[in-house]
């Protein structure tokens, strides 16, 4: 399988090249040259999520240097449980829990898959590659956890000093070993700007040996398709119906994986996108005009995106057959509604949602009753509520117990350096790293 840039100005890349580069040379995002056609029957002997992932991803690995390694990569990625649990007895809705990984958010899947893949590719490398990421929340922790203890890499995580919660700092700065955390005296946008400058420098001077793990990397997207396949097959086997999916959406990465999986032929019905108050995606689907806007801050912070980068993939695929806006709808959920839904679902079902998951629940509850009853629905839960305890605990009036993985991080000492918001400071910090 070859990978093409959405902008069509770069030559086709192998899987290996697409994984290592992240972004195509023309500034576009890589997409598989074509989507394989699959059907539920082709997965009849697959039981676990790892089985499904290996089968689903095989065509994307065909003829690549990694083809023989796919089984191992998939087992490393899907080494923790995927929950698919009823929201309540009567509702017929299920919650797809993607938060049982090391940092309790769905980004663990993409980060672990990318790390395992890049590690296979780096086996004969003599130099260490530096994975540089800017983060305002879940990405940095997931990437740090995924690359921690892999000696072919070092990870440098940039986060805005004093603008990240205490618990989030833990998840970024507790790792030690080959992971370093840098607190930048600036905003998240400043962190991103520093990372972009570093990548521009390294494009001119390969001596930098930088690697990217951000969410536009095709290696983050592919493994996400597998849990949609797994969940849809499970519902299909149980009920004979195509499940509808409700997906919390910010940068359109997780939701795009769901649409891609449906386009491959897996038994997925309507897809409902749940955004927070940031409405770039909703407005595009309504008007056909893509108009990025400054991000609005909301309770669902990981979805505070005004210029969703994966929309470039969506718009590219829209021109292909079978990928139009049919069977897609969008609900924009404001902070008040998020807060109300967290309280309502706790009262009604005893479930504690993170604010992102609450957007999905709210969108689902906003569907007409007939649509809700017409088929089974899967509400995608993107993070454990304990990651957003400062928002959720006051709403439900009690403490949220930490999942084991996060509780372990909680007891680790943190260590990070503070740097000024300028490129020289970053360059010096990178050069001084061991
Ligand atoms: C990143 C993130 C999202 C948004 O996912 P996208 O792929 O950017 O749309 C939603 N919820 C949580 C908890 C996240 O960390």
């Amino acid at each position: 399988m070859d990978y093409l840039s959405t902008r069509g100005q770069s030559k086709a890349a192998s899987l290996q090249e697409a994984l290592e580069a992240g972004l195509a040379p023309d500034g576009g995002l890589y997409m598989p040259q074509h989507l394989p056609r699959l059907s539920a029957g082709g997965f009849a002997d697959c039981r676990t999520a790892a089985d499904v992932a290996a089968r689903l991803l095989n065509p994307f690995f065909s003829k690549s240097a990694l083809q023989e390694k796919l089984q191992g990569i998939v087992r490393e990625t899907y080494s923790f449980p995927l929950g698919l649990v009823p929201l309540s007895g009567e509702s017929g809705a299920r919650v797809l829990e993607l938060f049982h990984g090391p940092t309790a958010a769905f980004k663990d899947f993409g980060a672990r898959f990318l790390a395992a893949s890049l590690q296979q590719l780096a086996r004969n490398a003599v130099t260490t590659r530096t994975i540089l990421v800017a983060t305002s929340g879940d990405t940095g922790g997931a990437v740090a956890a995924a690359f921690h203890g892999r000696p072919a890499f070092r990870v440098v995580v940039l986060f805005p000093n004093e603008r990240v919660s205490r618990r989030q700092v833990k998840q970024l700065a507790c790792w030690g070993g080959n992971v370093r955390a840098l607190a930048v005296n600036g905003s998240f946008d400043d962190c991103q700007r520093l990372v972009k400058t570093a990548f521009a420098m390294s494009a001119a001077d390969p001596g930098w040996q930088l690697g990217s793990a951000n969410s536009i990397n095709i290696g983050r997207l592919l493994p996400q398709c597998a849990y949609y396949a797994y969940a849809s097959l499970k519902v299909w086997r149980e009920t004979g119906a195509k499940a509808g999916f409700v997906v919390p959406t910010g940068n359109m990465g997780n939701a795009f994986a769901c649409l891609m999986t449906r386009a491959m032929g897996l038994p997925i019905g309507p897809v409902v996108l749940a955004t927070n108050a940031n409405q770039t995606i909703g407005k595009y689907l309504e008007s056909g005009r893509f108009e990025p806007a400054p991000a609005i801050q909301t309770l669902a912070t990981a979805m505070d995106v005004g210029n969703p980068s994966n929309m470039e993939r969506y718009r590219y695929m829209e021109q292909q057959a079978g990928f139009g806006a049919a069977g897609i709808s969008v609900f924009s959920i404001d902070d008040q509604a998020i807060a109300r839904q967290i309280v309502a679902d706790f009262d009604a079902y005893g479930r504690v949602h993170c604010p992102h998951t609450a957007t999905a629940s709210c969108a689902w509850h906003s569907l007409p009753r007939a649509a809700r009853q017409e088929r089974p629905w899967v509400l995608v839960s993107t993070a454990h509520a304990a990651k957003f305890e400062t928002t959720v605990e006051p709403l439900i009036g009690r403490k949220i117990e930490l999942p084991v993985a996060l509780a372990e991080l909680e007891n680790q000492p943190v260590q990070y350096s503070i740097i000024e918001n300028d490129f020289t400071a970053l360059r010096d910090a990178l050069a001084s790293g061991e």
Side-chain angles (χ1 to χ4, degrees):
M1 174 85 74
D2 276 345
Y3 291 79
L4 306 180
S5 166
T6 47
R7 301 200 182 164
Q9 305 295 314
S10 302
K11 61 180 180 14
S14 66
L15 176 64
Q16 164 168 3
E17 287 162 342
L19 288 172
E20 287 185 332
L23 210 61
D26 63 2
L29 277 57
Y30 281 114
M31 277 299 288
Q33 186 177 32
H34 66 270
L35 291 183
R37 288 299 302 172
L38 306 167
S39 67
F43 292 85
D45 57 331
C46 298
R47 288 287 152 246
T48 65
D51 295 341
V52 171
R55 181 72 45 86
L56 182 82
L57 297 178
N58 192 49
F60 296 98
F61 276 59
S62 78
K63 301 208 180 81
S64 85
L66 287 172
Q67 187 160 25
E68 311 250 288
K69 306 293 180 195
L70 176 59
Q71 283 286 346
I73 292 168
V74 150
R75 307 233 166 253
E76 261 190 74
T77 307
Y78 287 87
S79 58
F80 46 82
L82 260 183
L84 188 61
V85 300
L87 177 64
S88 72
E90 318 79 83
S91 70
R94 294 161 172 79
V95 180
L96 177 59
E97 296 177 343
L98 301 178
F99 54 70
H100 297 293
T103 65
F106 82 88
K107 290 186 176 77
D108 282 327
F109 289 100
R112 286 163 72 84
F113 185 85
L114 184 63
S117 300
L118 291 180
Q119 162 134 355
Q120 289 298 338
L121 294 173
R123 272 184 315 155
N124 302 318
V126 281
T127 51
T128 320
R129 195 177 272 269
T130 300
I131 303 291
L132 185 62
V133 279
T135 190
S136 60
D138 295 333
T139 298
V143 169
F147 283 90
H148 183 235
R150 297 183 193 268
F153 303 93
R154 74 171 171 156
V155 178
V156 177
V157 180
L158 269 59
F159 65 94
N161 194 24
E162 291 176 10
R163 298 199 199 182
V164 169
S165 76
R166 191 195 60 82
R167 192 170 279 171
Q168 274 182 327
V169 171
K170 281 271 175 192
Q171 289 158 28
L172 300 174
C174 70
W175 300 96
N178 64 334
V179 178
R180 268 181 83 193
L182 299 177
V184 175
N185 280 329
S187 66
F188 171 61
D189 287 335
D190 293 326
C191 296
Q192 275 204 306
R193 204 160 27 240
L194 290 175
V195 167
K196 275 197 185 140
T197 310
F199 277 105
M201 296 286 199
S202 94
D205 175 5
W208 280 69
Q209 288 287 324
L210 281 192
S212 118
N214 67 25
S215 70
I216 48 90
N217 195 304
I218 190 75
R220 298 267 305 264
L221 187 61
L222 292 175
Q224 294 172 182
C225 295
Y227 49 69
Y228 290 109
Y230 171 78
S232 69
L233 288 165
K234 200 155 188 234
V235 175
W236 175 256
R237 286 172 191 161
E238 281 171 23
T239 67
K242 289 184 177 182
F245 280 75
V246 191
V247 190
T249 306
N251 211 12
M252 193 70 179
N254 199 12
F256 185 77
C258 183
L259 296 171
M260 222 168 109
T261 311
R262 182 173 72 177
M264 286 186 246
L266 274 293
I268 293 173
V271 175
V272 174
L273 310 179
T275 70
N276 56 24
N278 290 279
Q279 298 196 24
T280 309
I281 295 171
K283 287 187 176 156
Y284 174 74
L285 289 179
E286 224 167 74
S287 70
R289 281 195 300 277
F290 184 63
E291 293 172 337
I296 303 167
Q297 285 192 8
T298 75
L299 294 177
T301 49
M303 294 164 28
D304 291 348
V305 182
N307 183 6
S309 45
N310 278 295
M311 281 305 283
E312 181 155 340
R313 284 197 168 104
Y314 179 84
R315 294 164 72 204
Y316 171 81
M317 284 306 287
E318 239 180 355
Q319 295 150 24
Q320 328 257 323
F323 214 88
I328 303 176
S329 51
V330 190
F331 287 83
S332 166
I333 313 297
D334 66 21
D335 275 359
Q336 250 189 346
I338 290 174
R340 258 199 323 259
Q341 199 67 47
I342 289 173
V343 175
D345 285 5
F346 180 63
D347 288 347
Y349 316 120
R351 277 205 72 101
V352 184
H353 296 311
C354 85
H356 315 80
T357 306
T359 66
S361 178
C362 188
W364 179 74
H365 282 91
S366 311
L367 292 174
R369 179 185 287 270
R372 268 182 284 153
Q373 290 178 341
E374 184 182 28
R375 61 176 70 250
W377 285 89
V378 175
L379 315 184
V380 176
S381 181
T382 49
H384 195 286
K387 291 194 92 161
F388 302 93
E389 83 286 6
T390 51
T391 300
V392 179
E393 285 179 351
L395 288 168
I396 61 166
R398 66 173 73 183
K399 287 253 167 241
I400 305 167
E401 206 180 317
L402 278 173
V404 177
L406 290 190
E408 274 168 13
L409 299 188
E410 202 70 359
N411 299 325
Q412 303 295 320
V414 293
Q415 197 179 18
Y416 59 88
S417 321
I418 298 172
I419 66 165
E420 285 314 313
N421 173 22
D422 72 41
F423 185 67
T424 323
L426 174 61
R427 199 181 50 198
D428 292 348
L430 287 177
S432 75
E434 54 285 344

